[in-house]
């Protein structure tokens, strides 16, 4: 049996696995960067999972959705930092990217609404419409379809950090 490490606040300790940083200008210069980065990260972290192909596909899809959220930033300068860490069956994605204050408020509100019993109903209502997926729908999809937990953390400067815990190894779909 493996021991579980906890930080001083009693939270499980996530061990760092991989991190990629790049200028946001470079990232948003081409849509294909979302796919390249998500596929690369998924391949690097999925090798030791019980079903590595399934894990790779699920992680790549979820991570690609998050990168597309960052791709829509209206802030032209700064860094995109993508960090993945692991604790047991859960992979944690920390995505830090520059954003304007209005975007920060949007993310804080959107993330506060993806938890709870109403999230599933809101998600189903949003995908049954004819509208293109919005950043909020992407976050709802991660919570409902991937059983992810999301939160916003403080970041330096004009940036935001989205923290997404994905329990893909135990996902029953």
């Amino acid at each position: 049996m493996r021991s579980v490490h906890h930080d001083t606040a009693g939270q499980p300790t996530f061990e760092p696995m991989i991190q990629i940083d790049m200028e946001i200008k470079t990232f948003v210069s081409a849509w294909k960067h979302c796919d390249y980065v998500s596929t690369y990260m998924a391949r690097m972290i999925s090798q030791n999972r019980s079903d590595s192909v399934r894990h790779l596909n699920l992680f790549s899809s979820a991570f690609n959705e998050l990168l597309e959220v960052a791709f829509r930033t209206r802030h032209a300068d700064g860094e995109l930092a993508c960090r993945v860490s692991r604790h047991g069956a859960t992979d944690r994605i920390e995505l830090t990217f520059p954003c304007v204050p209005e975007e920060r408020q949007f993310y804080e509100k959107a993330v506060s609404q993806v938890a709870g019993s109403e999230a599933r109903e809101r998600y189903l209502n949003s995908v049954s419409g004819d509208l293109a997926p919005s950043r909020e729908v992407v976050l709802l999809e991660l919570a409902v379809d991937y059983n992810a937990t999301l939160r916003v953390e403080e970041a330096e400067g004009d940036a935001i950090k989205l923290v997404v815990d994905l329990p893909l190894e135990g996902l029953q779909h």
Side-chain angles (χ1 to χ4, degrees):
M1 174 181 266
R2 294 181 61 180
S3 63
V4 176
H5 301 281
H6 293 82
D7 67 10
T8 55
Q11 299 296 318
T13 302
F14 281 76
E15 299 296 329
M17 298 184 68
I18 188 169
Q19 180 167 340
I20 294 177
D21 298 346
M22 69 176 77
E23 290 183 8
I24 197 71
K25 285 180 186 175
T26 301
F27 178 67
V28 298
S29 67
W31 183 258
K32 62 186 175 189
H33 289 148
C34 294
D35 184 46
Y36 292 162
V37 172
S38 63
T39 300
Y40 177 78
M41 297 285 265
R43 285 184 176 166
M44 292 297 107
I45 69 152
S46 298
Q47 298 175 25
N48 61 350
R49 289 303 197 183
S50 60
D51 185 342
S52 62
V53 173
R54 178 181 179 269
H55 190 271
L56 185 152
N57 287 329
L58 290 171
F59 186 88
S60 178
S61 295
F63 195 40
N64 191 54
E65 295 292 327
L66 279 172
L67 290 173
E68 289 181 17
V69 167
F71 186 82
R72 297 176 187 172
T73 185
R74 291 181 284 158
H75 203 293
D77 294 315
E79 294 266 329
L80 170 70
C82 311
R83 180 179 184 188
V84 178
S85 54
R86 178 171 289 162
H87 175 77
T90 302
D91 294 318
R92 174 172 286 172
I93 299 170
E94 296 173 81
L95 195 62
T96 305
F97 56 95
C99 70
V100 296
E102 295 80 20
E103 289 176 303
R104 173 183 285 281
Q105 291 172 349
F106 165 81
Y107 287 116
E108 290 171 347
K109 181 178 179 185
V111 166
S112 73
Q113 294 177 340
V114 299
S117 59
E118 297 173 7
R120 182 173 208 60
E121 183 177 342
R122 292 181 67 235
Y123 174 62
L124 293 175
N125 287 335
S126 67
V127 296
S128 64
D130 294 331
L131 300 174
S134 70
R135 294 175 296 180
E136 183 180 4
V137 173
V138 168
L139 299 176
L140 280 167
E141 179 184 21
L142 291 172
V144 172
D145 287 348
Y146 293 86
N147 200 24
T149 56
L150 298 94
R151 68 178 186 274
V152 174
E153 289 187 354
E154 292 294 321
E156 294 181 16
D158 296 334
I160 188 168
K161 182 191 286 187
L162 289 176
V163 180
V164 180
D165 289 345
L166 292 166
L168 298 178
E169 188 77 352
L171 199 61
Q172 297 298 314
H173 295 264

